[in-house]
Amino acid sequence: MTVDINLENFSGPLDLLLHLIKSQEMDIYDIRIVKITEQYLTIIDQMKQLDLDVAGEFLVMAAQLIHIKSRMLLPVNEELAEEEGEDPRAELVKRLLEYQRYKQAAALFEQLPQLERDVFLPHGVFEDLLLESPQDAEMSISIYQLASAFHQLMSHVKIEVFHEVVRENLAVSDYIARICRQLIDHSRISFRDLFHTGYQRSELVVTFLALLELTRLRMVGIEQVTTFSDIWLMRVATEDQLHRLQLTGGILDDD
Amino acid sequence: MTELKAVIEAFLFVAGDPLSLDKLADLTETDKTAIKDLIALLTQEYNRSGRGIHLVEVAGGYQFRSDPTLAPWLRRLQKERVQRLSAAALETLAIIAYRQPVTRAEIEYLRGVDSGGVMKTLLERNLLRILGKKDVPGRPLLYATSRYFLELFGLKDLNDLPTLKEFAGLDPELAEALPLEPSDH
Amino acid sequence: MTELKAVIEAFLFVAGDPLSLDKLADLTETDKTAIKDLIALLTQEYNRSGRGIHLVEVAGGYQFRSDPTLAPWLRRLQKERVQRLSAAALETLAIIAYRQPVTRAEIEYLRGVDSGGVMKTLLERNLLRILGKKDVPGRPLLYATSRYFLELFGLKDLNDLPTLKEFAGLDPELAEALPLEPSDH
């Protein structure tokens, strides 16, 4: 049998099995297990020969197929049959049928008109929808968002806990100058980029104060598209103003 | 009465999110039957051919949406490319939609593959919600589809999911496994 | 031609912001005179009495807006807009949920910022309760989440709160970053 099958095209072993069954025009209720097992193993072998990673799930299924095959090949022993119940293929058939059903459902979903792909809402509205909005609850946050917020925070704190603390005298003006320099180069900077990961807490605070000052002076605008998305700083000042601020560290002569 | 129709039209336009009959009744201090009639009238007016905006029933409410046949034009206004749901994501979503509430283990048994990554993506895209924990050893989390899932696919409610009739007749046991009662949202 | 009118209607609806003639000509690959005529037609249709949405020329472009005379009605909706928790509030609530009972100092240590204002908001919104005082010098107040917090998130009790480990299970990368023991400071 020639196989030109790429496992990556299959979402899992059940998907691959379904494909084999269909391409052999077999009846799903009466799978010729010997033939299917053989084909399945050939594919796995070829993948291995090509040095391609075969996901563990595909190997688990291979073992299950071999097990079913061996049970099918055993002479029918009535006692055993009673003990082990029905057809050795039964569970697999059930799983395949069920899987097939969801695969079909997925195909139907794909055809439904999807927001932002086929159907559009006024801009802005759509982004809001990304937050869970149960109609009668006054708040729209999912438990997942809550847990992720905690997780994110914890992963930041961890880094900081092991940070060596050196006391420094930090001047807001130095950080104003620093932000100005960045704004001269870029008209838009992400809020996140402003805070270097190596910064200590005091540096974070001073950077933030510098940013507040620049906002107060209306040298930068701050923009956030949706509630939790990245915050952006937009250059509002002219380059000339920024150069002056950079020199004076936040003191703007009257103009 | 004309006035009230205009008010409903404006509410739907301004709200953006789907508004339910209850909500509209509340906002307009009118009884629901009257509103239903006016919504039917508006729907008729909007869903005529030659209109670019349609009035649709979705996620338990009513909402203005663009006509799907105009999508090729409207995509021009799109700033970023939409991330399409992968085959794996759609498959997982289908299982959760038809079997909710389900645990991760049940999903993985049905799909035959590890589904942690896909489920994380679906959670991040707010297509799932967590319904608590299942009362079995280990107390695994129970997953269901969110209201936004209905909105994304333009479904009225969970009863509006495509019916899988081809397979429903085959195996009574499997058909039973399909809980299709409307869920609480 | 009807098609083009629908396309323009949909573009104006989806854009939200005013679209200029030039922009519309560009998007529809049509000359401006034709568009102008269609806009005139649409304006006529929308600005009839009994409509809640008007098509107006504004800021060098065209835009759908609600009929100004309906403002008293529409303000009702604005007032009821879903309140959203700010990122800061969410973060603080998350700390309290997972670490309860905690003192304000502990929260501020974790967040690295003063959290008095946020905590006040959370208390006002009934998401927190005060559990008493901690038996340490200064006897600071101990905070925990309220009953309403559970209701809001659909949790039976605090054991229902998903552990970070359960989410980490969805994503192996997360597992490494976990979890931090309560820090003494």
Side-chain angles (χ1 to χ4, degrees):
Chain A
M1 184 181 78
T2 54
V3 190
D4 51 349
I5 272 181
N6 185 354
L7 287 192
E8 277 175 17
N9 296 333
F10 294 91
S11 75
L14 290 169
D15 200 12
L16 175 58
L17 271 181
L18 265 188
H19 172 79
L20 292 177
I21 289 166
K22 276 198 190 120
S23 60
Q24 301 293 311
E25 293 176 353
M26 277 187 207
D27 177 359
I28 200 164
Y29 289 97
D30 188 18
I31 302 168
R32 279 170 281 146
I33 204 79
V34 177
K35 181 147 196 203
I36 280 289
T37 305
E38 203 175 278
Q39 286 183 355
Y40 187 94
L41 294 178
T42 312
I43 291 167
I44 301 286
D45 276 348
Q46 286 189 355
M47 291 293 142
K48 280 187 185 160
Q49 274 164 29
L50 291 170
D51 248 352
L52 297 172
D53 273 339
V54 176
E57 292 105 1
F58 285 94
L59 302 176
V60 170
M61 179 56 76
Q64 282 168 0
L65 286 172
I66 294 168
H67 180 69
I68 296 171
K69 190 178 89 174
S70 64
R71 277 183 58 198
M72 297 284 288
L73 293 176
L74 283 177
V76 185
N77 172 330
E78 272 175 35
E79 255 173 59
L80 194 72
E82 228 163 80
E83 221 171 81
E84 297 219 352
E86 26 173 339
D87 190 329
R89 297 170 298 182
E91 202 217 339
L92 182 65
V93 169
K94 215 164 145 181
R95 277 181 83 184
L96 282 169
L97 284 172
E98 180 97 22
Y99 175 75
Q100 180 172 251
R101 178 199 202 74
Y102 296 120
K103 199 171 144 69
Q104 185 214 16
L108 290 173
F109 279 2
E110 177 69 32
Q111 285 161 23
L112 288 173
Q114 268 178 49
L115 269 189
E116 293 293 287
R117 191 190 69 177
D118 313 300
V119 169
F120 298 84
L121 297 174
H123 281 316
V125 173
F126 170 74
E127 279 149 352
D128 267 9
L129 288 180
L130 283 175
L131 297 174
E132 182 77 354
S133 52
Q135 269 179 324
D136 298 311
E138 66 164 34
M139 241 181 320
S140 52
I141 298 249
S142 75
I143 196 91
Y144 178 70
Q145 286 170 312
L146 186 76
S148 324
F150 186 62
H151 171 260
Q152 266 177 21
L153 190 77
M154 286 326 215
S155 43
H156 291 317
V157 170
K158 190 178 182 184
I159 297 163
E160 227 175 297
V161 167
F162 297 108
H163 210 281
E164 204 173 315
V165 179
V166 184
R167 206 174 270 277
E168 263 185 282
N169 281 325
L170 304 170
V172 176
S173 57
D174 292 344
Y175 286 80
I176 289 183
R178 206 175 278 196
I179 297 175
C180 286
R181 220 171 301 137
Q182 280 175 277
L183 281 171
I184 291 168
D185 295 339
H186 311 278
S187 63
R188 217 168 108 94
I189 347 175
S190 122
F191 180 74
R192 208 186 287 268
D193 288 346
L194 214 55
F195 299 92
H196 297 270
T197 38
Y199 271 9
Q200 286 163 22
R201 181 168 296 144
S202 50
E203 286 175 290
L204 296 176
V205 170
V206 176
T207 305
F208 193 66
L209 288 176
L211 177 58
L212 286 183
E213 184 61 16
L214 284 170
T215 318
R216 196 185 63 80
L217 294 170
R218 294 178 201 281
M219 297 291 118
V220 289
I222 295 181
E223 190 187 278
Q224 185 181 30
V225 181
T226 63
T227 316
F228 297 112
S229 67
D230 275 1
I231 298 168
W232 292 90
L233 312 186
M234 323 287 291
R235 184 210 293 154
V236 176
T238 61
E239 270 195 34
D240 186 44
Q241 282 174 314
L242 288 171
H243 278 297
R244 264 183 290 155
L245 274 173
Q246 196 187 338
L247 293 176
T248 60
I251 299 152
L252 199 65
D253 20 336
D254 292 328
D255 52 1
Chain B
M1 210 53 176
T2 348
E3 155 86 348
L4 190 54
K5 198 178 101 196
V7 172
I8 292 172
E9 187 182 21
F11 268 132
L12 291 171
F13 172 70
V14 173
D17 293 327
L19 289 180
S20 66
L21 266 189
D22 283 335
K23 185 80 182 176
L24 281 167
D26 204 34
L27 286 166
T28 55
E29 291 164 14
T30 315
D31 72 276
K32 286 198 271 178
T33 3
I35 290 177
K36 217 167 173 171
D37 291 347
L38 290 169
I39 293 251
L41 221 62
L42 276 169
T43 310
Q44 223 173 53
E45 285 175 26
Y46 272 91
N47 300 13
R48 273 202 301 254
S49 69
R51 295 297 304 259
I53 311 172
H54 287 180
L55 179 54
V56 295
E57 194 179 344
V58 65
Y62 299 89
Q63 187 178 40
F64 285 122
R65 295 187 160 198
S66 70
D67 175 355
T69 63
L70 302 179
W73 291 98
L74 297 176
R75 277 187 210 119
R76 298 182 175 194
L77 268 184
Q78 229 161 17
K79 284 174 197 125
E80 298 157 38
R81 272 188 66 101
V82 219
Q83 283 225 310
R84 295 189 66 159
L85 288 169
S86 67
L90 281 169
E91 204 174 281
T92 308
L93 202 51
I95 293 175
I96 299 171
Y98 285 96
R99 306 224 37 167
Q100 53 191 305
V102 284
T103 65
R104 178 175 162 194
E106 286 158 1
I107 295 163
E108 293 183 342
Y109 174 75
L110 290 170
R111 293 191 59 221
V113 284
D114 180 282
S115 304
V118 184
M119 288 172 70
K120 184 163 172 276
T121 312
L122 293 174
L123 275 164
E124 278 166 359
R125 291 188 64 172
N126 211 24
L127 290 164
L128 304 184
R129 65 202 169 108
I130 291 162
L131 271 194
K133 295 182 178 183
K134 193 170 180 173
D135 243 341
V136 294
R139 313 242 306 124
L141 292 179
L142 282 167
Y143 295 90
T145 52
S146 67
R147 191 179 135 79
Y148 177 63
F149 162 78
L150 296 175
E151 292 181 27
L152 183 69
F153 290 102
L155 301 168
K156 284 187 211 130
D157 50 45
L158 286 177
N159 286 320
D160 206 20
L161 281 174
T163 37
L164 305 177
K165 42 175 157 359
E166 270 180 56
F167 300 98
L170 294 181
D171 183 343
E173 227 176 285
L174 287 175
E176 266 167 41
L178 258 187
L180 277 177
E181 302 109 53
S183 86
D184 47 312
H185 49 258
Chain C
M1 212 53 177
T2 346
E3 155 86 348
L4 190 56
K5 198 178 101 196
V7 172
I8 292 172
E9 188 182 19
F11 268 132
L12 289 170
F13 170 71
V14 171
D17 292 330
L19 287 181
S20 65
L21 265 189
D22 284 335
K23 181 83 183 170
L24 281 167
D26 202 33
L27 285 165
T28 55
E29 292 162 14
T30 315
D31 71 274
K32 285 197 271 178
T33 5
I35 289 177
K36 216 162 175 176
D37 290 348
L38 290 169
I39 293 247
L41 221 62
L42 276 168
T43 310
Q44 220 173 58
E45 283 174 29
Y46 272 92
N47 300 14
R48 274 201 300 254
S49 70
R51 295 295 305 258
I53 311 172
H54 288 178
L55 179 53
V56 293
E57 194 177 345
V58 63
Y62 300 90
Q63 187 180 35
F64 284 122
R65 295 190 163 189
S66 63
D67 175 353
T69 64
L70 301 177
W73 290 99
L74 300 178
R75 263 181 231 124
R76 296 181 175 197
L77 191 67
Q78 242 113 49
K79 251 185 256 160
E80 292 190 30
R81 281 243 105 144
V82 200
Q83 290 188 44
R84 303 208 146 104
L85 283 182
S86 67
L90 180 66
E91 199 175 281
T92 308
L93 189 60
I95 292 174
I96 299 171
Y98 283 97
R99 288 265 161 125
Q100 52 192 300
V102 285
T103 66
R104 179 172 158 190
E106 284 159 0
I107 295 164
E108 292 182 343
Y109 173 77
L110 288 171
R111 294 193 57 221
V113 285
D114 180 280
S115 304
V118 187
M119 288 173 69
K120 188 162 164 277
T121 314
L122 292 172
L123 274 165
E124 277 166 2
R125 290 176 72 172
N126 207 18
L127 289 161
L128 302 186
R129 67 202 166 105
I130 292 165
L131 268 194
K133 293 183 177 179
K134 192 168 180 176
D135 229 352
V136 294
R139 314 245 309 128
L141 291 176
L142 280 167
Y143 295 89
T145 52
S146 66
R147 244 202 103 62
Y148 175 63
F149 165 83
L150 293 177
E151 279 170 32
L152 192 69
F153 287 98
L155 303 169
K156 277 197 287 267
D157 50 49
L158 283 176
N159 290 328
D160 249 10
L161 201 63
T163 62
L164 294 178
K165 227 175 156 182
E166 284 166 320
F167 283 119
L170 298 178
D171 180 0
E173 262 173 52
L174 281 182
E176 285 162 32
L178 288 179
L180 197 81
E181 282 316 299
S183 38
D184 294 306
H185 38 271

